[in-house]
């Protein structure tokens, strides 16, 4: 196995790890459509996948954000699985059920890993939907393997516009105040939108027990982004405290005029319930 970062445990304690995974299983129990759980073998360790929809349908890969897992897609899977064979994939190094190792973002590790995942799923070409770092992973793979990507849906994507360093300075004081501080940071990230109770609790449990990535997310070059010849839908929140969303939308629109890039008013970094915008794009409506 290559490209391993200096490895420290992802969780603050074994009890914390169990709390996160137990809540994950509780959320899975609320999925309203039949699904199967898969554990794939890759050259970057085991990868956990939630699969739903008829196997004969075209493939749609869902990639969650950093410090999250595939439970974030539970509310959307029913809609997408009517038209797609949906694979919600836990990214290695995040608080899910895949390999508990993080790999450097500047290495080819995650594009190689995703190629292994497609191979294990016996999928030659798929559409990809990712949020935040998951969107970065989708772009990273599409830049290397454009022929394997049907469409790209990028929600609050990292790697196109710059990160907001100011967010760290805003967040740090709140984090010193335990549970109340974490709630305040969560509201900042969500753009003060009300999240479902389950999603809020999931965020709190992970924040309490998981060690988040500290690595800066690499920005894609112009020439890398120009390799994205597939149809693209990009949605970014105007009030994103983590990323310069306006610059993200402007840069992609300038480099790829055919891309459908939209800045959403009154939205923050976490974009929930966007399937009414996403489905027409996926279905060419």
């Amino acid at each position: 196995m290559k490209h391993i970062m200096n490895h420290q445990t992802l969780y603050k304690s074994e009890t914390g790890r169990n709390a996160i995974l137990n809540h994950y299983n509780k959320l899975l129990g609320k999925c309203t459509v039949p699904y199967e759980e898969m554990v794939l073998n890759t050259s970057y360790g085991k990868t956990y996948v939630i699969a739903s929809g008829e196997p004969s349908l075209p493939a749609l890969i869902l990639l969650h954000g950093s410090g999250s897992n595939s439970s974030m897609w539970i509310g959307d899977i029913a809609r997408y699985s009517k038209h797609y064979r949906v694979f919600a994939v836990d990214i290695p190094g995040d608080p899910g059920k895949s390999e508990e190792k993080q790999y450097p973002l500047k290495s080819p590790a995650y594009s190689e890993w995703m190629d292994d995942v497609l191979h294990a799923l016996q999928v030659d070409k798929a559409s990809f939907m990712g949020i935040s770092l998951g969107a970065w992973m989708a772009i990273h793979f599409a830049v290397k393997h454009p022929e394997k990507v049907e469409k790209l849906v990028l929600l609050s994507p990292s790697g196109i516009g710059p990160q907001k360093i100011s967010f760290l300075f805003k967040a740090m004081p709140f984090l010193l105040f335990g549970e109340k501080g974490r709630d305040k940071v969560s509201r900042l990230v969500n753009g003060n939108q009300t999240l479902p109770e389950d999603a809020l609790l999931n965020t709190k449990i992970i924040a309490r027990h998981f060690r988040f990535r500290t690595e800066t997310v690499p920005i894609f070059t112009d020439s890398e982004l120009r390799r994205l010849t597939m149809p693209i839908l990009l949605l970014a929140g105007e009030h994103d405290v983590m990323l310069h969303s306006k610059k993200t939308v402007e840069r992609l629109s300038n480099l790829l005029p055919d891309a459908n890039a939209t800045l959403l008013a009154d939205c923050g970094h976490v974009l929930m319930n966007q399937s009414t915008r996403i489905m027409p794009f996926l279905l060419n409506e």
Side-chain angles (χ1 to χ4, degrees), residues 250-261:
E250 286 172 354
R251 184 172 179 226
L252 194 80
S253 298
N254 288 336
L255 287 172
L256 302 172
D258 291 340
N260 182 344

Side-chain angles (χ1 to χ4, degrees), residues 153-171:
V153 178
L154 307 173
L155 308 174
S156 306
S158 301
I160 300 174
Q163 288 177 262
K164 286 185 177 175
I165 305 301
S166 61
F167 173 68
L168 291 173
F169 297 107
K170 275 185 194 169

